């Protein structure tokens, strides 16, 4: 059984788009972004969900673990400065 890694031989031809197709895709994306629907949706205010029913009160699901991570981060930054 051969468990060695396969060699990755990059074939650039598969990753390069023909210039005409690339220009076509850019044009489609630009027209889609400038459509009346896209412009109308850009104006809408998105509601901010501050009072979600399943949001933890402390901002973290496990407040003690979040405090440990915060303390660890502070200690690690202090150790390397």
């Amino acid at each position: 059984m051969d468990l060695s890694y396969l060699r990755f031989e990059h074939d650039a031809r598969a990753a390069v788009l023909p210039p005409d197709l690339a220009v076509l895709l850019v044009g489609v994306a630009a027209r889609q972004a400038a459509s009346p629907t896209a412009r109308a949706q850009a104006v809408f205010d998105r509601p901010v969900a501050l009072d979600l029913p399943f949001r933890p009160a402390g901002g973290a699901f496990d407040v003690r673990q979040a405090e440990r991570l915060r303390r660890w981060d502070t200690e690690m930054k202090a150790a390397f400065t």
Side-chain angles (χ1 to χ4, degrees):
M1 179 185 310
D2 184 14
L3 297 176
S4 62
Y5 291 104
L6 296 175
R7 291 186 184 161
F8 178 72
E9 296 178 10
H10 182 69
D11 185 10
R13 292 176 292 154
V16 177
L17 292 176
D20 294 339
L21 179 59
V23 171
L24 176 69
L25 291 175
V26 169
V28 167
R31 284 192 300 275
Q32 187 175 12
S35 71
T37 305
R39 285 187 278 136
Q41 286 182 346
V43 177
F44 295 152
D45 288 333
R46 294 212 164 45
V48 178
L50 294 177
D51 55 346
L52 291 174
F54 298 112
R55 184 178 67 91
F61 286 105
D62 186 355
V63 177
R64 291 184 302 163
Q65 184 65 20
E67 186 56 39
R68 282 187 208 111
L69 288 171
R70 200 173 298 123
R71 192 172 354 124
W72 177 78
D73 184 49
T74 305
E75 292 170 359
M76 291 305 287
K77 285 180 182 175
F80 289 105
T81 55

